[in-house]
Amino acid sequence: AGALVATAQQAVLTSRDTLEHNAAIESENQKLRHLGQLTEAALRSEREQLGMAVEETQGALDKALAAKAQAEADCGEMRRVADQLADELLELKEGMDSRLRGKVTLRW
């Protein structure tokens, strides 16, 4: 009977140790779940911020590309106007040269 009591006492101690160990494990699991939730929230926030940064960057890129296209169009228009003006000045010079030759010829 003494051996049976000792075995029972040992079983109770072992059960108590197991319960304490399981409680410690559950406490650690709760801490880990909480850390996981915090990490998940932080990652979600980081993704949202990165998403907004990507959208802002894309918007700035779109504006820059539109400005470049407009500048190229404006440059092309200025080039066309400059070419037209050069042609008109050349015609004017040729006309003046022709008149000048005509006056010089008349004087002789």
Side-chain angles (χ1 to χ4, degrees):
L4 188 56
V5 170
T7 303
Q9 286 175 338
Q10 186 61 38
V12 168
L13 291 175
T14 302
S15 292
R16 188 178 302 147
D17 288 345
T18 301
L19 288 173
E20 289 174 0
H21 182 70
N22 286 346
I25 289 173
E26 181 56 33
S27 175
E28 286 300 313
N29 283 342
Q30 287 176 351
K31 290 177 188 175
L32 289 173
R33 278 193 292 276
H34 181 68
L35 285 174
Q37 290 169 348
L38 292 175
T39 302
E40 190 176 304
L43 288 173
R44 188 171 31 255
S45 175
E46 184 77 18
R47 278 193 302 269
E48 289 171 2
Q49 290 176 358
L50 286 173
M52 290 187 308
V54 166
E55 288 175 12
E56 290 174 10
T57 302
Q58 185 62 50
L61 177 62
D62 291 345
K63 287 179 182 178
L65 290 173
K68 178 185 176 209
Q70 184 61 48
E72 288 173 347
D74 292 347
C75 184
E77 178 63 17
M78 287 191 297
R79 192 173 300 133
R80 187 191 64 73
V81 169
D83 287 346
Q84 182 180 355
L85 188 58
D87 290 345
E88 290 174 7
L89 288 172
L90 183 60
E91 287 176 21
L92 182 61
K93 180 187 175 295
E94 288 172 352
M96 291 172 71
D97 286 347
S98 176
R99 285 185 188 157
L100 186 59
R101 279 193 300 268
K103 287 186 177 185
V104 170
T105 304
L106 291 175
R107 288 188 187 167
W108 289 99

